[in-house]
Amino acid sequence: MNILITGATGFLGSKLAVHLAGLNHNLYILTRSPEKRSNTSHMTFVDYNTTVNELPHIDAVINLAGESLFGYWTKKKKEAILTSRLRVTKYLIQLMKDMKKKPEVFISGSAVGYYGMSEDFIYTEATAQPGNDFLASVARQWEQEASAAEKMGIRTVYARFGVLLGNDGGAFPLMSLPIKLYTGGHISDGEQWLSWIHVKDAVKLIIFCLENHTIEGPINVTAPTPKRNKDFMKKTAQVYKRPNWLHVPAVFFYLALGEMSLLLVKGQYAYPGKALEHGFTFDFPSLDLTLLDLKNN
């Protein structure tokens, strides 16, 4: 397949790109600085001024680009989080409109933050009502922008990512650092849910969506066993053989991180019902297996 992809230089996207190239797909990777990258037999780096006439027929489009959520959420930062996602998605939609032969599938990134935050509810892809906080608004607008592909008859998938766990990026290095420094413990009351997934399973599930023609609409890219923060930290401490004694009040994170602290002190239970219904098999369905793999690799 010829696959046009954004965000392929990031934590998840870089791993996905390597895996897709290994499957002999031809990738056209959109980046702001293609001159800083070296093309390979299966990877061609192109900039955001690329037109349809400069590309071969594209079979699939994968959109993972967006400003990082990490950092103090000033007004400017929040605008960048939203506009970066909408701007790239609008560009891709226009490219697809310009294509005489449309791609077969458009996989666009989103987040379980779509559902809002709760300690009580279990959210599945059947949950239609989005939350009312900032992240929910971003995810809703992002998906709404991407939905224009559906009107073109393109199978459209909204990949709602949970917290990606890996050693070389994402949230886990920061989350596990207190544990590794012998100062670990739960955040706030520890009751907030963490919908996580091993980054290897996230890559595998995106490819599953790419190849499975019956999957469309939202899909939760999460493991089937979300954990409350207190249980996540306890299990991490056990695997790394570290103490788990410190309780950090929520107010500390509010003072240090502002609104971004919601990522740590709040959460949601997002269940991957659609993936399981379609027969997807997780390589790392449990936190134990995931943490052991991260520790040993």
Side-chain angles (χ1 to χ4, degrees):
M1 295 175 70
N2 290 333
I3 301 173
L4 183 67
I5 181 170
T6 70
T9 58
F11 171 52
L12 171 64
S14 59
K15 293 174 174 56
L16 176 63
V18 168
H19 203 105
L20 288 169
L23 295 173
N24 291 320
H25 294 298
N26 298 311
L27 305 184
Y28 296 85
I29 299 173
L30 283 161
T31 175
R32 288 189 293 269
S33 305
E35 70 280 358
K36 296 180 181 179
R37 307 285 176 174
S38 298
N39 294 340
T40 69
S41 58
H42 289 290
M43 293 187 189
T44 302
F45 293 88
V46 296
D47 65 29
Y48 281 94
N49 294 317
T50 299
T51 65
V52 168
N53 294 332
E54 299 170 271
L55 295 169
H57 168 65
I58 297 297
D59 300 294
V61 179
I62 301 175
N63 179 23
L64 301 177
E67 172 82 10
S68 172
L69 297 178
F70 294 103
Y72 200 93
W73 286 1
T74 61
K75 181 179 179 181
K76 184 177 180 181
K77 174 70 172 179
K78 290 171 72 173
E79 287 177 353
I81 288 171
L82 176 60
T83 59
S84 63
R85 286 160 172 77
L86 299 187
R87 183 174 60 249
V88 171
T89 306
K90 285 180 180 178
Y91 170 76
L92 292 175
I93 290 295
Q94 187 58 53
L95 270 183
M96 289 187 281
K97 283 182 178 178
D98 293 341
M99 294 176 183
K100 292 182 180 179
K101 185 178 180 182
K102 307 302 182 191
E104 296 173 10
V105 58
F106 178 38
I107 299 176
S108 191
S110 185
V112 295
Y114 175 95
Y115 302 113
M117 299 177 180
S118 174
E119 293 181 1
D120 304 313
F121 293 106
I122 295 177
Y123 299 104
T124 70
E125 295 87 352
T127 304
Q129 183 65 36
N132 56 13
D133 55 62
F134 170 67
L135 287 180
S137 176
V138 169
R140 178 183 57 78
Q141 293 180 70
W142 197 7
E143 291 186 14
Q144 187 174 30
E145 197 67 50
S147 69
E150 293 185 38
K151 299 178 177 66
M152 290 184 266
I154 299 169
R155 179 170 66 90
T156 304
V157 179
Y158 310 102
R160 293 177 179 168
F161 293 102
V163 175
L164 300 173
L165 300 186
N167 283 323
D168 54 347
F172 185 68
L174 288 175
M175 295 171 65
S176 60
L177 184 60
I179 292 288
K180 295 175 181 177
L181 294 177
Y182 295 86
T183 58
H186 63 266
I187 295 171
S188 187
D189 62 4
E191 294 297 320
Q192 65 272 35
W193 285 105
L194 182 70
S195 293
W196 59 273
I197 186 169
H198 195 306
V199 67
K200 293 177 182 176
D201 270 340
V203 167
K204 182 181 175 182
L205 183 48
I206 294 171
I207 295 173
F208 185 78
C209 292
L210 191 68
E211 297 174 344
N212 192 316
H213 300 285
T214 63
I215 295 177
E216 59 185 351
I219 185 165
N220 291 339
V221 186
T222 58
T225 54
K227 293 291 183 185
R228 294 192 185 272
N229 177 267
K230 62 183 181 181
D231 299 321
F232 182 92
M233 300 306 288
K234 181 179 180 181
K235 181 58 65 176
T236 303
Q238 289 175 349
V239 169
Y240 283 89
K241 295 181 170 57
R242 298 288 194 273
N244 178 49
W245 57 274
L246 188 64
H247 162 220
V248 185
V251 66
F252 171 83
F253 293 97
Y254 287 127
L255 292 173
L257 302 173
E259 193 177 352
M260 197 206 89
S261 63
L262 292 175
L263 291 174
L264 300 173
V265 302
K266 300 290 184 180
Q268 60 282 113
Y269 188 122
Y271 186 73
K274 186 174 287 187
L276 294 171
E277 288 166 8
H278 283 80
F280 180 76
T281 302
F282 288 86
D283 291 334
F284 301 93
S286 72
L287 187 59
D288 297 71
L289 287 173
T290 297
L291 293 174
L292 286 171
D293 181 74
L294 296 180
K295 181 184 179 182
N296 297 325
N297 293 287

